[in-house]
Amino acid sequence: MFGSDEQRIALAEGYVAILATTGIERGLIGPREVPRLWGRHVLGSAVIEELIPEKADVLDVGSGGGLPGIPLAIARPDLLVTLVEPMQRRVDFLREVVDELDLVNVEVLRARAEEVDPQGRADVVVSRAVAPLGRLAGLCLPLARVGGVMMAVKGQSAGEEIERDAREIKRAGGGPASISVCGEGKLAEPVFTVPATVVSIERVR
């Protein structure tokens, strides 16, 4: 995750500060989420990095306020992260964050998932709180290269979604889905909402 690298920790803290101020002012984060920004949102996004290979090309679909893409980019400067977001006000916010934190490994793209060009480029496509798994597979898998992976941050219903949406996942070109729990043992404090449950699906065709 952020490890003991003071620069990365400072960037993560800076991002939390932006979310707690500008993010709330712009309606990207609810005021009640402020006490949980560090644990639930930022750390809960950054822990996914343990599943992502080195120097991967990563797309964050439906990035919103930059989750999970910005924490991933801070935790893993080797990644190239593209934040994909269709709403202009969110795109403006994301670009301001990227500029303010000087995140040289992050790009912001205003587009819906189906508008991303080229399709089939990414090594990893991540998403958090975007859509049910079947619909998400239809949006994300076409963006991944064959052999690439979509990773969806899900909750306790992950297993049920996999079973329910198996046909849609297969139709979208996905192989068998697997569930990983990221961040176990990383933090002792239970107040932090890590570990994170991630559904991974490889694009097989």
Side-chain angles (χ1 to χ4, degrees), residues 53 56-57 120-125 140-151 173-176 200-205:
D57 184 342
R121 155 197 127 184
D123 299 308
V124 179
V125 183
C140 293
L141 281 171
L143 302 178
R145 60 175 175 79
V146 174
V149 182
M150 66 165 275
M151 297 178 184
S200 298
I201 304 170
E202 180 181 356
R203 182 181 176 186
V204 295
R205 58 175 175 79

Side-chain angles (χ1 to χ4, degrees), residues 22-40:
T22 309
I24 290 175
E25 293 166 6
R26 305 268 187 94
L28 294 165
I29 294 290
R32 293 183 180 180
E33 292 300 307
V34 171
R36 300 187 292 184
L37 283 176
W38 181 251
R40 179 177 183 180

Side-chain angles (χ1 to χ4, degrees), residues 159-184:
E160 296 173 11
E161 287 197 56
I162 290 172
E163 185 175 348
R164 181 196 68 204
D165 298 343
R167 288 186 179 180
E168 288 180 84
I169 292 168
K170 185 176 181 179
R171 192 182 307 127
S178 63
I179 298 176
S180 302
V181 180
C182 302
E184 285 186 302

Side-chain angles (χ1 to χ4, degrees), residues 11-26 28-29 37 65 70 93-94 96-103:
L11 286 172
E13 290 174 341
Y15 178 48
V16 169
I18 294 170
L19 287 175
T21 52
T22 309
I24 290 175
E25 293 166 6
R26 305 268 187 94
L28 294 165
I29 294 290
L37 283 176
I70 288 178
F93 172 80
L94 292 172
E96 289 170 18
V97 172
V98 169
D99 288 345
E100 185 167 338
L101 299 181
D102 194 24
L103 299 177

